[in-house]
């Protein structure tokens, strides 16, 4: 199975919104409502930002939102802040014993 | 506060073995499934293995099946990954992460670096 497809980069000015896509197939993103998103700053561990497509863990700002349409999931960061500059990875359940990650998107705050 | 601390990484020659540990605190370890996820230098994330809370269910990625063994000691709040027949492509930072269900990863450790090189 191939990795999920994410754009390598995305950018926006402070206060603007940026949306990152994550494209898979009907065997992963399209087949399960278990897409998650992770934020990773350089040299740090990943942090869960969104799970089950659109749910936010406690402590994650509501500027972060997730959605899904067909085989493509999306993460939107509204009201961009400097600290949002990081790599973002999507992941999707791909069966009872497998998970696929996206290749990652580097978000730059201009 | 949930805390996961990995250890055991280091430099090993191809074909060698290494045992990673993940010490947990701040939550009921015995009630949670746990994953190992790795990240090669400058690359993306790759799921490695999963063990259920009671060890009845264990999964491996195809890339490590037959070479790596996951285990846990609930009495010691610890998770392990025995890695044998190591290859250059196993070089990565290895993270342990708690399971949120359906292969979603909740809390993460800081990672331990494994370098396979001659």
């Amino acid at each position: 199975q191939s990795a999920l497809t994410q754009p390598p980069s995305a950018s926006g000015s402070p206060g603007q919104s940026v949306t990152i896509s994550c494209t898979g197939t009907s065997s992963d993103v399209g087949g399960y409502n278990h897409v998650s998103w992770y934020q990773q700053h350089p040299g740090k561990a990943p942090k869960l930002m969104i799970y089950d497509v659109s749910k936010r863990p406690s402590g994650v700002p509501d500027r972060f939102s997730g959605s899904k349409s067909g085989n493509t999931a999306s993460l939107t960061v509204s009201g961009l802040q400097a600290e949002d500059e990081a790599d973002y990875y999507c992941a999707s359940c791909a069966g009872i014993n497998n998970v696929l990650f996206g290749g990652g998107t580097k978000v730059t705050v201009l | 506060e949930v805390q996961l601390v990995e250890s055991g990484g280091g430099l090993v020659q191809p074909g060698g073995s290494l045992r990673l540990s993940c010490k947990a605190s701040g939550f009921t370890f015995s009630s949670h499934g746990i994953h190992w996820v790795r990240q090669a230098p400058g690359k993306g994330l790759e799921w490695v293995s999963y063990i259920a809370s009671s060890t009845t269910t264990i999964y491996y990625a195809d890339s490590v099946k037959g070479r790596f063994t996951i285990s846990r000691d609930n009495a010691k709040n610890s998770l392990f990954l025995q890695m044998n027949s190591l290859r250059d492509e196993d070089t990565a930072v290895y993270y342990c992460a708690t399971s949120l269900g359906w292969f979603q990863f909740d809390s993460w450790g800081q990672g331990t670096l494994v370098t396979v090189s001659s």
Side-chain angles (χ1 to χ4, degrees):
Chain A
Q1 288 166 303
S2 301
L4 306 177
T5 300
Q6 295 182 235
S9 63
S11 63
S13 299
Q16 290 187 331
S17 295
V18 65
T19 296
I20 304 165
S21 61
C22 171
T23 301
T25 69
S26 58
S27 296
D28 37 72
V29 174
Y32 299 90
N33 286 322
H34 302 298
V35 176
S36 50
W37 290 89
Y38 303 87
Q39 177 191 66
Q40 186 178 35
H41 289 107
K44 301 295 186 181
K47 176 186 176 182
L48 177 66
M49 305 302 285
I50 295 288
Y51 68 99
D52 287 347
V53 175
S54 60
K55 297 178 181 177
R56 269 189 318 275
S58 173
V60 172
D62 60 6
R63 302 184 292 104
F64 292 84
S65 62
S67 63
K68 189 184 85 166
S69 178
N71 297 335
T72 298
S74 299
L75 173 72
T76 297
V77 186
S78 305
L80 267 175
Q81 298 183 5
E83 59 262 35
D84 299 333
E85 186 162 296
D87 293 326
Y88 291 83
Y89 294 91
C90 64
S92 174
C93 176
I96 63 167
N97 61 351
N98 196 20
V99 57
L100 294 177
F101 281 100
T105 298
K106 181 176 180 62
V107 169
T108 301
V109 180
L110 301 172
Chain B
E1 178 194 2
V2 172
Q3 194 167 13
L4 298 166
V5 180
E6 301 92 337
S7 61
L11 175 63
V12 61
Q13 292 187 337
S17 299
L18 213 54
R19 189 188 194 217
L20 305 184
S21 299
C22 171
K23 178 72 172 177
S25 60
F27 67 104
T28 307
F29 179 76
S30 59
S31 298
H32 289 259
I34 310 285
H35 297 269
W36 285 102
V37 178
R38 68 185 181 183
Q39 186 171 34
K43 302 297 185 181
L45 300 168
E46 179 189 16
W47 172 74
V48 174
S49 184
Y50 166 79
I51 185 168
S53 57
S54 61
T55 74
T56 52
T57 300
I58 288 175
Y59 299 129
Y60 297 99
D62 287 343
S63 58
V64 306
K65 201 172 294 182
R67 301 187 298 121
F68 289 11
T69 302
I70 192 171
S71 62
R72 64 189 295 164
D73 184 340
N74 285 341
K76 295 183 178 180
N77 288 352
S78 293
L79 172 76
F80 306 102
L81 186 68
Q82 177 66 43
M83 304 186 296
N84 298 331
S85 303
L86 283 162
R87 305 167 180 168
D88 290 350
E89 55 264 35
D90 295 319
T91 293
V93 174
Y94 285 72
Y95 298 99
C96 58
T98 56
S99 176
L100 195 54
W102 292 98
F103 287 86
Q104 299 175 110
F105 313 97
D106 194 357
S107 299
W108 297 64
Q110 88 289 348
T112 187
L113 176 62
V114 172
T115 302
V116 184
S117 175
S118 54

Coordinates of all heavy atoms in Angstrom, one line a residue, chain B residues 42-81:
Chain B
G42 N 15.0 12.9 8.4 CA 14.5 13.8 7.4 C 13.3 13.2 6.6 O 12.9 13.8 5.6
K43 N 12.7 12.1 7.1 CA 11.6 11.5 6.4 C 10.3 11.5 7.3 O 10.3 12.1 8.4 CB 12.0 10.0 6.2 CG 13.2 9.8 5.3 CD 13.1 10.4 3.9 CE 14.3 10.1 3.1 NZ 14.2 10.7 1.7
G44 N 9.3 10.9 6.8 CA 8.0 10.9 7.4 C 7.8 9.8 8.4 O 8.8 9.1 8.8
L45 N 6.6 9.7 9.0 CA 6.3 8.7 10.0 C 6.0 7.4 9.4 O 5.3 7.3 8.4 CB 5.2 9.2 10.9 CG 5.4 10.6 11.6 CD1 4.1 11.1 12.2 CD2 6.5 10.5 12.7
E46 N 6.4 6.3 10.1 CA 6.0 4.9 9.7 C 5.6 4.1 10.9 O 6.4 4.0 11.9 CB 7.2 4.3 9.0 CG 7.0 2.9 8.6 CD 8.2 2.1 8.1 OE1 9.3 2.6 8.4 OE2 8.0 1.0 7.5
W47 N 4.5 3.6 10.9 CA 4.0 2.7 12.0 C 4.8 1.4 12.0 O 5.1 0.9 10.9 CB 2.5 2.4 11.8 CG 2.0 1.4 12.8 CD1 1.8 1.5 14.1 CD2 1.7 0.0 12.5 NE1 1.3 0.3 14.7 CE2 1.3 -0.6 13.7 CE3 1.7 -0.8 11.3 CZ2 0.9 -1.9 13.7 CZ3 1.3 -2.1 11.4 CH2 0.9 -2.7 12.6
V48 N 5.2 0.9 13.2 CA 6.0 -0.3 13.3 C 5.2 -1.5 13.9 O 5.2 -2.6 13.4 CB 7.2 0.0 14.2 CG1 8.0 -1.2 14.4 CG2 8.1 1.1 13.5
S49 N 4.6 -1.2 15.1 CA 4.0 -2.4 15.8 C 3.0 -1.9 16.8 O 3.0 -0.7 17.2 CB 5.1 -3.2 16.5 OG 4.5 -4.3 17.1
Y50 N 2.1 -2.7 17.2 CA 1.0 -2.5 18.2 C 0.8 -3.6 19.1 O 0.9 -4.8 18.7 CB -0.3 -2.1 17.5 CG -1.5 -2.2 18.4 CD1 -1.8 -1.1 19.2 CD2 -2.3 -3.3 18.5 CE1 -2.8 -1.1 20.1 CE2 -3.4 -3.3 19.3 CZ -3.7 -2.2 20.1 OH -4.8 -2.2 21.0
I51 N 0.6 -3.3 20.4 CA 0.3 -4.4 21.3 C -0.9 -3.9 22.2 O -0.9 -2.8 22.6 CB 1.5 -4.8 22.2 CG1 1.2 -6.0 23.1 CG2 2.0 -3.6 23.1 CD1 2.4 -6.6 23.8
A52 N -1.9 -4.8 22.3 CA -3.1 -4.4 23.1 C -2.8 -4.4 24.6 O -1.7 -4.9 25.0 CB -4.2 -5.4 22.8
S53 N -3.7 -3.9 25.4 CA -3.5 -3.8 26.8 C -3.2 -5.1 27.5 O -2.3 -5.2 28.3 CB -4.7 -3.1 27.4 OG -5.8 -3.9 27.2
S54 N -3.8 -6.1 27.0 CA -3.7 -7.4 27.7 C -2.7 -8.4 26.9 O -2.6 -9.5 27.2 CB -5.0 -8.1 27.8 OG -5.6 -8.3 26.5
T55 N -2.1 -7.8 25.9 CA -1.1 -8.5 25.0 C -1.8 -9.6 24.1 O -1.1 -10.3 23.4 CB 0.0 -9.2 25.8 OG1 -0.5 -10.4 26.5 CG2 0.6 -8.3 26.7
T56 N -3.1 -9.7 24.1 CA -3.8 -10.7 23.3 C -3.7 -10.4 21.8 O -3.9 -11.3 21.0 CB -5.3 -10.8 23.7 OG1 -5.9 -9.5 23.7 CG2 -5.4 -11.4 25.1
T57 N -3.6 -9.1 21.5 CA -3.5 -8.7 20.1 C -2.2 -8.0 19.8 O -1.9 -7.0 20.5 CB -4.7 -7.8 19.8 OG1 -5.9 -8.5 20.0 CG2 -4.6 -7.3 18.3
I58 N -1.5 -8.4 18.8 CA -0.2 -7.9 18.4 C -0.2 -7.8 16.9 O -0.6 -8.7 16.2 CB 1.0 -8.7 18.9 CG1 1.1 -8.6 20.4 CG2 2.2 -8.3 18.2 CD1 2.2 -9.5 21.0
Y59 N 0.2 -6.6 16.4 CA 0.4 -6.4 14.9 C 1.7 -5.9 14.6 O 2.3 -5.1 15.4 CB -0.7 -5.4 14.4 CG -2.1 -5.7 14.7 CD1 -3.0 -4.8 15.3 CD2 -2.6 -6.9 14.2 CE1 -4.3 -5.1 15.4 CE2 -4.0 -7.2 14.4 CZ -4.8 -6.3 15.0 OH -6.1 -6.6 15.2
Y60 N 2.2 -6.2 13.4 CA 3.5 -5.7 12.9 C 3.3 -5.1 11.5 O 2.6 -5.7 10.7 CB 4.6 -6.8 12.9 CG 4.9 -7.3 14.3 CD1 4.4 -8.5 14.7 CD2 5.8 -6.7 15.1 CE1 4.7 -9.1 15.9 CE2 6.1 -7.2 16.4 CZ 5.5 -8.4 16.8 OH 5.9 -8.9 18.0
A61 N 4.1 -4.1 11.2 CA 4.2 -3.7 9.8 C 5.0 -4.8 9.0 O 5.8 -5.5 9.6 CB 5.0 -2.4 9.7
D62 N 4.7 -4.9 7.7 CA 5.3 -5.9 6.9 C 6.8 -5.8 6.9 O 7.6 -6.7 6.8 CB 4.8 -5.9 5.5 CG 3.4 -6.4 5.3 OD1 2.9 -7.1 6.3 OD2 2.7 -6.1 4.3
S63 N 7.3 -4.5 7.0 CA 8.7 -4.2 6.9 C 9.5 -4.8 8.1 O 10.7 -4.9 8.0 CB 8.9 -2.7 6.8 OG 8.4 -2.1 7.9
V64 N 8.9 -5.1 9.2 CA 9.6 -5.6 10.4 C 9.1 -7.0 10.8 O 9.7 -7.5 11.7 CB 9.5 -4.6 11.5 CG1 9.9 -3.2 11.1 CG2 8.1 -4.6 12.1
K65 N 8.1 -7.5 10.2 CA 7.5 -8.8 10.6 C 8.6 -9.9 10.5 O 9.3 -10.0 9.5 CB 6.3 -9.1 9.7 CG 5.4 -10.1 10.3 CD 4.1 -10.2 9.4 CE 3.3 -8.9 9.4 NZ 2.1 -9.1 8.6
G66 N 8.7 -10.7 11.6 CA 9.7 -11.7 11.6 C 11.0 -11.3 12.2 O 11.9 -12.2 12.5
R67 N 11.2 -10.0 12.3 CA 12.5 -9.5 12.8 C 12.3 -8.8 14.2 O 13.2 -8.8 15.0 CB 13.2 -8.5 11.8 CG 13.4 -9.2 10.5 CD 14.2 -8.2 9.6 NE 13.5 -6.9 9.3 CZ 14.0 -5.7 9.6 NH1 15.1 -5.6 10.2 NH2 13.3 -4.7 9.3
F68 N 11.2 -8.1 14.3 CA 10.9 -7.3 15.6 C 9.9 -8.1 16.4 O 9.0 -8.7 15.9 CB 10.4 -6.0 15.2 CG 11.4 -5.0 14.6 CD1 12.7 -5.5 14.2 CD2 11.1 -3.7 14.5 CE1 13.6 -4.6 13.6 CE2 12.0 -2.8 13.9 CZ 13.3 -3.2 13.5
T69 N 10.0 -7.9 17.7 CA 9.0 -8.5 18.6 C 8.7 -7.5 19.7 O 9.5 -6.9 20.4 CB 9.6 -9.7 19.4 OG1 10.0 -10.7 18.4 CG2 8.5 -10.3 20.3
I70 N 7.4 -7.2 19.8 CA 6.9 -6.2 20.8 C 6.4 -7.0 22.0 O 5.9 -8.1 21.9 CB 5.7 -5.4 20.2 CG1 5.4 -4.2 21.1 CG2 4.5 -6.2 19.9 CD1 4.4 -3.2 20.4
S71 N 6.6 -6.4 23.2 CA 6.1 -7.0 24.4 C 5.9 -5.9 25.4 O 6.3 -4.8 25.2 CB 7.1 -8.1 24.9 OG 8.3 -7.5 25.2
R72 N 5.3 -6.3 26.5 CA 5.0 -5.3 27.6 C 5.0 -6.0 28.9 O 4.8 -7.2 29.0 CB 3.7 -4.6 27.3 CG 2.5 -5.4 27.4 CD 1.2 -4.7 26.9 NE 0.9 -3.5 27.8 CZ 0.1 -2.5 27.5 NH1 -0.4 -2.5 26.2 NH2 -0.2 -1.6 28.3
D73 N 5.3 -5.2 30.0 CA 5.3 -5.7 31.4 C 4.4 -4.7 32.1 O 4.8 -3.6 32.5 CB 6.7 -5.8 32.0 CG 6.7 -6.3 33.4 OD1 5.6 -6.3 34.0 OD2 7.7 -6.7 33.8
N74 N 3.1 -5.1 32.3 CA 2.2 -4.1 32.9 C 2.5 -3.9 34.3 O 2.2 -2.8 34.9 CB 0.7 -4.7 32.7 CG 0.2 -4.5 31.3 OD1 0.7 -3.7 30.5 ND2 -0.8 -5.3 31.0
A75 N 3.1 -4.8 35.0 CA 3.5 -4.6 36.4 C 4.6 -3.5 36.5 O 4.7 -2.9 37.6 CB 4.0 -5.9 37.0
K76 N 5.4 -3.3 35.5 CA 6.5 -2.4 35.5 C 6.2 -1.2 34.6 O 7.1 -0.3 34.4 CB 7.8 -3.0 35.1 CG 8.3 -4.1 36.1 CD 9.6 -4.7 35.6 CE 10.1 -5.7 36.7 NZ 11.4 -6.3 36.3
N77 N 4.9 -1.1 34.1 CA 4.5 0.1 33.2 C 5.5 0.2 32.1 O 5.9 1.4 31.8 CB 4.4 1.4 34.0 CG 3.2 1.4 34.9 OD1 2.4 0.5 34.9 ND2 3.2 2.4 35.8
S78 N 5.9 -0.8 31.5 CA 7.0 -0.8 30.5 C 6.6 -1.5 29.2 O 5.9 -2.6 29.2 CB 8.3 -1.3 31.0 OG 8.8 -0.5 32.0
L79 N 7.0 -1.0 28.1 CA 6.8 -1.5 26.7 C 8.2 -1.8 26.2 O 9.2 -1.1 26.5 CB 6.1 -0.5 25.9 CG 6.0 -0.8 24.4 CD1 4.9 -1.9 24.1 CD2 5.6 0.5 23.6
F80 N 8.3 -2.8 25.3 CA 9.6 -3.2 24.8 C 9.5 -3.5 23.3 O 8.4 -3.8 22.8 CB 10.2 -4.5 25.5 CG 10.2 -4.3 27.0 CD1 9.3 -4.9 27.7 CD2 11.2 -3.6 27.6 CE1 9.3 -4.8 29.1 CE2 11.3 -3.5 29.0 CZ 10.3 -4.1 29.7
L81 N 10.6 -3.3 22.6 CA 10.7 -3.7 21.2 C 12.1 -4.4 21.0 O 13.1 -3.7 21.0 CB 10.6 -2.5 20.2 CG 10.5 -2.8 18.7 CD1 9.2 -3.6 18.5 CD2 10.6 -1.6 17.9

